[in-house]
Every structure is written in structure tokens, then in C-alpha cells.
Amino acid sequence: MNAIAIDEGARSARRRSRPALSSETMILLACAWFVLACNGPFWAAVQRAQASTALAVSLGVAMFALHAFLIGLCAWGRAVRPLLAVLLVTTAFATWYMDRFAVVFDADMMRSIVQTDPAETRELLSPSLILHVLLQGALPAAALWLVTPRQLPWRRQLKRRLLFLVATLALAVGALLPVSQGVFGLMRGDPLLRYRITPGNFVVSGARALAQGDAKAALGPKRPIATDAIQVPTAATRRPRLLVLVVGETVRGDHWGLNGYARQTTPALAARADLVNFPDVSACGTSTAVSLPCMFSPRGRAHYDRAAIAGEASVLDVLANLGISVLWRDNQAGCKGVCDGVETQAMSSADDPALCHDGRCLDEILLRGLAERIQAAPGDQLIVLHMLGNHGPNYFERYPAADEHFTPTCRTAELSRCGREEIANAYDNALLYTDAVLDQLIELLAAERERDIAMLYVSDHGESLGEYGLYLHGAPYRVAPRAQLHVPMVLWMSPAFSANSRIDTACVREVARKPTSHDHLFSTLLGVFDVKTSAYDPERDLFAACRDSPEAV
Ligand SMILES: [Zn+2]
């Protein structure tokens, strides 16, 4: 008993010796830390825009006061310290990715982060990231426990907090009003500037992503689309058809050998005279989470509505409901809701020591047992192969080590520590591997004689490799560089497919010269399987102009 009493006494004496701080003071100290230590990318952008000192000071004061206001609004009582600690640590993570990869934390990025799988997370962690988070986040968070929170009766606390909120809001307005013209000018010159203010960027974007109701859309049953769809003729009265749609990952169009890149990154495909290459294809989005649902929706980028697309069934459902065998084979983080209700095979969890390590598999895994699967299913088939492709930042892990052709390569997830050429070398080696996998796939399909077969490959989005200081992808669509939106697309048709579908290959080559986009996938898929519905748009069917009448392009 005595020992416990002495222990208690010592502990409370220690508590008394620590400085007592009100929750408002703690909030102000944390906000000062955010403004001064955590907003490097923001201050660099302000400096690049050659803002005056008065404008920069006003922005700093406003940033400080607005953060204090928002945190003061949300954090009360005993929750203040833990909440500030969480904010300090997450901010340290955010500043790392903003600093190294120029990541923009908009609502789409927050959704992508939530959908990241453990293998992706593992690749993004590095010793220097952990050190950075310890110094910039964990250390100041731990310092909060060196002080004693001052407890006040609740009435006094409430009065004090209201005063605090009024004062911080007045300070923010007072700081911004005299320089409002300059602020608008800065925002116009750099539309991404507001996304560089942290932690406001990820807190506000995260709240927006939540408010946009993803969870609601994902939980409820999906609204059916193209309910009037019928198939005429079906595989009962003609030879069965197979379309293998390969969804590539993170492949930018200008590094695609077939598109005239200075390096031949697609030697195997270039050697095939029977391919149709589409050099001018635009992606619907700059991230998998945006592009994938959009590619399989009738809305496309032309009528893009993220929430509506998330709540609706995809073209895969339409085809499956008509009795067409649909299979989604995935070597990545899943189909983002596109394949709900259809047969799915997660190949990334395959147990193949030659192709799989640490929860990741090389893309050849997508071909394992594929011929048997094709032969086993009767009638028409659509098989989607979702590649790991050029998923970054570890491009050097996306191909077998023995196949390293371009050297030296960047061998770290911290791309900004590598030279541009090392990054491009690793990236292009991964492209060579995609080329080899597609070539193997065509070989495999060409050997199948029972069906009319076509293979369509298209990447989900591109990638920034250091241009304008940008890395990876996920830039907001309206300001995204072409590197993230221009994607390769290539088509192979078996002679029987083009003959029996009455598709003139020369005509398709003409179509391929024109700009196309992910918006063409929905109607092209319906057209391949002779599906008639009011949702079908012949203008967006890559083959529509080339069926029956070769001269009508
Ligand atoms: Zn992607």
C-alpha cells in the first residue's frame, strides 16, 4: 500500500512540475508547427510565383489561423492531445509524398489511398520515410505529453473556446482581406496551390470523399443498366466468340514502342503484322480508382459522374446477364467494384515460386491455366486480364531480374533520389516485359481453334516520370499532364474473328488513326458480342463503321 502511495505521489509531483497548457495553446503550437515545418511544397510554390513578402506573410498567418479555427471547432476536452498527435503523424506522411512525388491530395487521391492494398503500402514505405515521420510527426506528437493539459470548469472552457474561434476566424479574414487580389492571382496561376496546404488538404479532401457517399454506393445493390439488352445472334447459331480484354497498368502512350518512342519497348508486338495499334487514346482518369469504373460504364468521361458510376452495374453485368461467360482475372488490387457479381480470380495471391514473391506476382501469372479455362467454358466469353503492368514506384520489380535490358535502373521507391534516365530505364524494362506477356498471350490465343478470338489491350492511365517535378499518377483530371492521360491501346484479331464478325481490318486501321478514348470500350464490348440495346452508341464502337461495308469509314 505504502509503495503504491509513494508511487502515486511521485507521479503527481512529476505532473505538477510539467508546464500546464490550455488546449487552445496546444492547438496554436501545433498549427505553428504545421505552417513553419510541414508546408515546404506550398512555400516553394509561393516562392516560384514570386509572391511579395507581404503576401507570403499574410498567407502564413491565414493558414495558421484557419487551421487553428478548424481544429478548435473539432477537438474538445481530452480528445485534443490524441487528435493533434494523429494529425501531426499523418501530416508527416502527407508531406513526404507531396515532397517526393508531388502527390496532390484531392478527393480522388483520398479514395485511391483507402483502396490501396497491403503490397502497395509495403512498396511505398522506406527507411527514410520512417525517419522523416519520426522527426516531423512522432517527435512533436510525443512533446505534447511533456505538458499537462489545463482543466477548466466547462462553462469557462466553453467561453474560452468560443472566444478562440472568433479570434482565429477574425485573424484569418483580417490577414486575407487586404491581399485578396494577390491571393486570387496566385490561385489562378497555380490551380493546385490549395492542395499544397497541409494538413488542410487531406482533411478537407477526405471529408469530401466521405460526403460524396462512396460507402453508400458500395453497400447498396447496384442499379442495373441497359435492361433492354438482347443478343442477336447468339453463340447457339454462330461460332462462339472470345474477347480477351487486357487492362494495362500505368503505361504511358509516349513510351510505347509502337507509338514511335525513340526506344523499341514493344519489339515482339511490332514484329506482328496482324496488330492494329491505336496511337492516340485518352484515359478516363489518372488513377485506377477513377479509370476502371469509368471504362466499363456507359457514361465514360463524356458524362462522367463518379457517384452515379459507383452506384451502377457495369457492362460486365450486361454481358453476364445475357449468358456470356465473363471472367475477371486480377493481378493487382482488385477491380474497383467493376466485377461485382461476375466470376473473379485473384492471381496476385497465387502460389507460384517462379513468378510470385512477397505478395506480388509477375504478369505472366495471368496466363497460367488460361488455355484450360477458355476450353472449359462453352459459348461466348469475355475474359478481362488486369495486369500489374508498370505499377510504381518500384518499376524494377515489375519484370524478371534476368530481363533487365536498359541499365542502369532506379532501384528504390524514392524516385526523386534517382536520375531521370535511371527511372526511365526501369520503367521501359517493365514495358518490355508487358510486350513479352502480350506476345505470349496472342500466341496462346492463336492456338485456340474453336472460337473467333480478339485481344484488346489498353492501359488504365499513364504515369509521370519526373516531368515538372511530378512522379507517379493521380493528378486532378483537369490539370493532369498528358503523360498521365495518354495511354497505349492495341488490337489483335484472329483471321476467323474478323471474317466471321465481318470486320475489315484495313478499315479498323483507319479508325485507329483518329483520337479514341476509354469511352469507346462500353459500346465496342457490346458490339463484339452482337448485343442490341438503347445504351449502345455506334459512334463509340471501334468496329461499327467497319462491319459489312469496308468503304464506309
Ligand atoms: Zn492504375
Side-chain angles (χ1 to χ4, degrees):
M1 280 299 273
N2 257 352
I4 293 169
I6 292 165
D7 207 32
E8 259 310 300
R11 222 177 288 160
S12 66
R14 256 204 314 275
R15 257 201 303 272
R16 275 196 303 276
S17 69
R18 290 177 194 158
L21 287 186
S22 68
S23 55
E24 288 75 19
T25 310
M26 284 194 264
I27 293 172
L28 291 177
L29 285 173
C31 290
W33 179 256
F34 291 141
V35 173
L36 298 173
C38 308
N39 272 278
F42 174 80
W43 292 120
V46 170
Q47 199 179 18
R48 270 200 305 278
Q50 295 177 337
S52 66
T53 313
L55 180 54
V57 170
S58 303
L59 281 170
V61 172
M63 193 199 291
F64 167 78
L66 277 175
H67 276 110
F69 174 78
L70 282 175
I71 298 170
L73 211 57
C74 305
W76 293 79
R78 289 181 189 280
V80 173
R81 256 202 311 196
L83 201 118
L84 287 177
V86 169
L87 212 48
L88 283 161
V89 173
T90 40
T91 302
F93 275 103
T95 57
W96 172 266
Y97 290 108
M98 288 161 66
D99 202 36
R100 304 294 165 113
F101 299 108
V103 165
V104 175
F105 288 99
D106 62 356
D108 282 331
M109 181 58 73
M110 298 310 290
R111 274 185 284 273
S112 292
I113 291 170
V114 171
Q115 293 172 10
T116 299
D117 72 0
E120 282 175 315
T121 311
R122 213 169 34 242
E123 282 181 12
L124 287 168
L125 294 176
S126 69
S128 37
L129 162 65
I130 292 164
L131 184 69
H132 168 86
V133 171
L134 278 176
L135 290 176
Q136 200 189 56
L139 215 60
L144 289 171
W145 269 266
L146 296 177
V147 299
T148 310
R150 184 176 290 148
Q151 307 287 351
L152 293 175
W154 74 268
R155 267 176 210 280
R156 264 185 72 195
Q157 175 59 48
L158 185 67
K159 220 160 92 184
R160 197 185 160 96
R161 183 57 67 92
L162 288 177
L163 253 167
F164 175 83
L165 292 174
V166 171
T168 48
L169 195 60
L171 181 61
V173 174
L176 285 178
L177 262 186
V179 293
S180 58
Q181 284 302 332
V183 176
F184 287 130
L186 271 183
M187 296 280 185
R188 261 196 309 277
D190 182 356
L192 297 183
L193 192 67
R194 67 197 163 102
Y195 294 111
R196 296 202 170 97
I197 300 171
T198 199
N201 55 356
F202 66 84
V203 171
V204 172
S205 295
R208 271 187 60 204
L210 277 178
Q212 286 168 357
D214 270 42
K216 213 168 53 195
L219 284 177
K222 298 209 167 184
R223 285 187 300 283
I225 57 165
T227 47
D228 59 345
I230 52 162
Q231 194 188 18
V232 194
T234 66
T237 54
R238 55 159 170 73
R239 264 165 64 89
R241 273 177 206 157
L242 163 63
L243 176 68
V244 177
L245 174 63
V246 186
V247 178
E249 176 60 50
T250 314
V251 178
R252 53 189 275 176
D254 63 345
H255 277 236
W256 191 242
L258 283 165
N259 286 351
Y261 181 42
R263 277 176 170 172
Q264 183 45 285
T265 50
T266 54
L269 294 178
R272 291 185 169 275
D274 52 355
L275 283 186
V276 181
N277 183 55
F278 294 73
D280 189 1
V281 182
S282 304
C284 178
T286 62
S287 67
T288 314
V290 171
S291 279
L292 233 48
C294 181
M295 289 163 87
F296 293 90
S297 153
R299 295 176 187 267
R301 177 47 65 177
H303 305 283
Y304 186 72
D305 180 335
R306 193 199 49 75
I309 292 173
E312 286 170 357
S314 75
V315 68
L316 303 185
D317 279 271
V318 178
L319 298 174
N321 287 340
L322 292 168
I324 295 163
S325 161
V326 179
L327 169 67
W328 183 284
R329 275 196 148 197
D330 203 285
N331 188 32
Q332 221 203 94
C335 69
K336 313 292 177 199
V338 169
C339 62
D340 289 358
V342 307
E343 189 191 347
T344 308
Q345 295 177 335
M347 307 304 284
S348 54
S349 55
D351 186 19
D352 186 325
L355 295 175
C356 306
H357 297 282
D358 301 330
R360 286 280 205 217
C361 296
L362 291 169
D363 276 326
E364 276 170 283
I365 198 74
L366 289 167
L367 311 184
R368 287 281 183 277
L370 185 63
E372 292 77 6
R373 171 60 176 73
I374 291 169
Q375 279 148 20
D380 286 344
Q381 288 185 53
L382 169 67
I383 297 179
V384 184
L385 302 180
H386 188 202
M387 286 184 135
L388 186 56
N390 275 39
H391 199 292
N394 294 13
Y395 310 122
F396 66 100
E397 290 181 345
R398 299 289 98 90
Y399 52 88
D403 290 2
E404 190 152 276
H405 184 76
F406 304 112
T407 56
T409 52
C410 177
R411 307 194 69 81
T412 165
E414 286 175 47
L415 297 177
S416 51
R417 281 174 48 190
C418 291
R420 289 278 292 278
E421 200 182 319
E422 292 169 312
I423 297 171
N425 284 343
Y427 185 86
D428 290 346
N429 285 328
L431 270 181
L432 280 173
Y433 180 63
T434 291
D435 172 68
V437 173
L438 292 178
D439 188 54
Q440 276 184 48
L441 171 64
I442 294 171
E443 218 38 46
L444 181 154
L445 298 176
E448 163 68 36
R449 303 271 167 215
E450 302 299 312
R451 286 182 168 78
D452 299 343
I453 305 180
M455 191 270 322
L456 185 65
Y457 165 85
V458 62
S459 181
D460 63 344
H461 51 77
E463 184 87 325
S464 284
L465 296 173
E467 304 89 351
Y468 320 108
L470 291 177
Y471 295 92
L472 306 180
H473 53 267
Y477 182 83
R478 63 197 164 85
V479 295
R482 185 167 157 79
Q484 294 191 23
L485 286 171
H486 174 216
V487 291
M489 183 159 87
V490 72
L491 168 75
W492 172 83
M493 296 182 283
S494 69
F497 178 89
S498 36
N500 293 329
S501 302
R502 305 182 312 281
I503 292 173
D504 181 65
T505 310
C507 166
V508 180
R509 283 187 204 285
E510 283 303 311
V511 171
R513 286 174 200 273
K514 300 172 193 165
T516 47
S517 74
H518 280 167
D519 289 16
H520 285 84
L521 278 176
F522 180 84
S523 288
T524 301
L525 292 184
L526 294 178
V528 162
F529 292 105
D530 297 320
V531 176
K532 315 284 186 288
T533 159
S534 53
Y536 169 81
D537 178 358
E539 294 286 313
R540 294 201 199 163
D541 178 348
L542 295 169
F543 300 127
C546 302
R547 284 194 184 92
D548 279 330
S549 46
E551 71 281 359
V553 177

